[in-house]
Amino acid sequence: MKEIVCYMLARLGGNDNPSVDDVKKILDSVGVKPDEEKLKCLFEDLEKVGNVDDAIAEGMKKLAVIPAAGGGGSGGTAAPSGGDTEKKEEVKEEEEEESESSEGGAGIGIFDDGSDSSDDSDSDESD
């Protein structure tokens, strides 16, 4: 995959027909060792395709026939019976508690240990 990305990066840089050496130079510039077998396959496939732009256009046409709708729902649910309303109320209360606890404040970060970061008691003000 990195070989393809470097090939396309070279094209974006203005090289309409990058060579194997061009791709290797890009990979080397970021300290990545090129996979010779993948490079060979990439350039063999590029020879079969001819023009990369045409190959991309063909691929986009194929993707157009794939449905792009959302992930689908879980389907309909039956009408709640007596005990279900209590469960829903409990879930709703839990969600409210979670949202309140996650609101926190501007000074609270992911890695805070729970102490108030605006507390200046640690600083030495006895100068």
Side-chain angles (χ1 to χ4, degrees), residues 36-87:
E36 296 294 331
E37 185 63 30
K38 289 182 180 178
L39 277 173
K40 179 182 171 188
C41 290
L42 171 64
F43 280 90
E44 285 175 359
D45 289 344
L46 287 171
E47 287 177 17
K48 292 176 190 175
V49 173
N51 185 343
V52 174
D53 296 321
D54 292 340
I56 292 171
E58 282 297 314
M60 294 302 284
K61 287 179 189 174
K62 290 179 181 178
L63 286 174
V65 299
I66 298 173
S74 61
T77 58
S81 61
D84 288 344
T85 55
E86 291 177 10
K87 290 180 185 176

Side-chain angles (χ1 to χ4, degrees), residues 107-120:
I108 297 177
I110 296 173
F111 302 107
D112 285 349
D113 60 351
S115 64
D116 186 7
S117 62
S118 63
D119 187 13
D120 291 335

Side-chain angles (χ1 to χ4, degrees), residues 7-8 11 19 28 32-33 41-42 49 55 64-65 70 74 76 85 90 92 102 109 114-116 119 125:
Y7 180 88
M8 296 305 292
R11 286 193 46 135
S19 66
D28 288 338
V32 176
K33 184 179 180 228
C41 290
L42 171 64
V49 173
V65 299
S74 61
T85 55
E90 289 177 17
K92 189 174 183 179
S102 66
S115 64
D116 186 7
D119 187 13
E125 295 181 19

